[in-house]
Amino acid sequence: MSENKSIHEFDFTLICNYFKSIERQGPGSPEVTRKAVSFINELSDSAKIADIGCGTGGQTMILADCIKGQITGIDLFPDFIELFNRNAINTHHEDRVKGITGSMDNLPFQDEELDLIWSEGAIYNIGFERGMNEWNRFLKPNGFIAVTEVSWFTSERPAEIEDFWMDAYPEINTVPAKIAQMEKAGYTPTAHFILPENCWTEHFYAPQVPVQEAFLKEHSENKAAFEFIANQRHEQNLYNRHKEYYGYVFYIGQKRD
Ligand code: SAH
């Protein structure tokens, strides 16, 4: 789900039903997941990995294809986790990939248990800085973290998009500012790259178009549903008009000893 503030004013069941029917709940793509993996040291079969805010697991199953180890997906919404576990079975990953319901501010891991923390389009729920700080202790020394986070690409931007993000997620910041936060939280920044436009257009917004039509038909009497769709469309429109100023960035780092 994207960081549209007004999303919180809608009924969560309604929103979950909407996002359940699409493969991804945030911008990203299989290519980008694979590219991020290429910056991480090879893992062993006994490695432990957490995918935090995993949603229905679109990116988790790709991750499972290109790394070894046991992956635990965690998401706040039980419906997403149910689909996640079904997805693991359908892709024959069920022996290595398990989804559990839980919150990213209260993770069920031991200190220094994890070799890798993965989180695409989700750390904003706790805030980038807080997530980077609080999750650090669960990583083994030299363990890796890889997250995507919305970031500014320029030092100045039009008021319309600045206002939108200040309202939706005031922690949005420039890439150097995010990297500095990561360093301060105890990681060596290993790599970062901007997610290409097709992560938003082809993999995130386009699949929503037919779902929006169906959703409006199904909830034709529901004002909240109507407003929710209007918001999604507004957000997409803003992206099309202002994409040179912001986007998602993959940040990859290694826990310092
Ligand atoms: N990683 C997925 C989903 C991103 S959307 C993808 O890239 O497609 C953000 C996800 O964070 C949603 O699935 C939402 O349910 C989950 N989420 C929101 N708050 C959370 C919390 N406190 N703890 C864990 N997951 C949370």
Side-chain angles (χ1 to χ4, degrees):
M1 280 182 266
S2 54
E3 306 84 340
N4 190 336
K5 181 190 165 214
S6 40
I7 218 165
H8 302 300
E9 290 152 21
F10 299 120
D11 177 17
F12 266 114
T13 316
L14 213 67
I15 299 166
C16 282
N17 285 340
Y18 174 89
F19 278 105
K20 255 162 60 177
S21 43
I22 47 182
E23 200 168 302
R24 300 198 56 104
Q25 290 78 43
S29 74
E31 294 74 31
V32 155
T33 299
R34 288 188 206 109
K35 180 171 173 178
V37 169
S38 75
F39 295 106
I40 287 160
N41 293 349
E42 198 176 329
L43 300 175
S44 69
D45 287 323
S46 60
K48 286 195 175 172
I49 300 116
D51 184 354
I52 303 175
C54 57
T56 58
Q59 74 295 324
T60 325
M61 306 311 149
I62 304 292
L63 190 60
D65 281 333
C66 41
I67 56 166
K68 291 179 184 168
Q70 295 288 329
I71 307 179
T72 305
I74 295 200
D75 202 279
L76 196 57
F77 294 105
D79 284 11
F80 285 172
I81 290 300
E82 200 190 313
L83 279 173
F84 178 102
N85 284 323
R86 218 181 295 163
N87 204 354
I89 293 169
N90 292 339
T91 55
H92 309 292
H93 289 307
E94 72 273 22
D95 53 336
R96 296 207 291 129
V97 179
K98 298 249 175 328
I100 58 171
T101 304
S103 185
M104 59 176 75
D105 57 10
N106 186 23
L107 292 170
F109 302 112
Q110 308 290 317
D111 286 0
E112 305 197 351
E113 183 181 344
L114 301 172
D115 295 87
L116 169 63
I117 291 178
W118 204 264
S119 184
E120 293 194 36
I123 197 172
Y124 72 88
N125 286 294
I126 191 175
F128 182 85
E129 212 170 0
R130 183 176 165 203
M132 280 287 167
N133 277 299
E134 288 188 8
W135 300 349
N136 185 286
R137 67 186 179 92
F138 301 116
L139 279 177
K140 291 177 185 159
N142 299 317
F144 279 89
I145 190 161
V147 307
T148 61
E149 165 83 341
V150 70
S151 309
W152 293 129
F153 297 158
T154 56
S155 52
E156 287 181 31
R157 44 262 152 190
E160 185 188 32
I161 196 65
E162 173 100 23
D163 293 349
F164 172 82
W165 281 107
M166 283 304 133
D167 186 39
Y169 183 57
E171 242 196 81
I172 186 172
N173 213 326
T174 59
V175 176
K178 294 282 173 193
I179 290 173
Q181 287 172 353
M182 199 171 171
E183 250 180 319
K184 202 169 153 222
Y187 308 89
T188 304
T190 351
H192 71 274
F193 61 91
I194 291 176
L195 272 63
E197 228 175 283
N198 76 331
C199 291
W200 295 76
T201 51
E202 180 189 334
H203 292 282
F204 187 51
Y205 289 134
Q208 291 184 46
V209 173
V211 179
Q212 289 171 352
E213 296 296 328
F215 198 78
L216 285 177
K217 264 190 203 139
E218 192 185 337
H219 302 284
S220 57
E221 304 297 313
N222 188 330
K223 190 162 170 275
F226 182 83
E227 283 174 4
F228 168 64
I229 299 298
N231 262 291
Q232 293 304 113
R233 288 176 172 169
H234 175 61
E235 193 197 293
Q236 178 174 1
N237 178 276
L238 282 176
Y239 180 74
N240 287 335
R241 286 188 295 116
H242 296 301
K243 57 191 167 204
E244 69 265 45
Y245 300 105
Y246 73 99
Y248 263 96
V249 176
F250 232 119
Y251 294 97
I252 298 137
Q254 193 170 18
K255 180 175 174 170
R256 284 197 300 269
D257 268 329

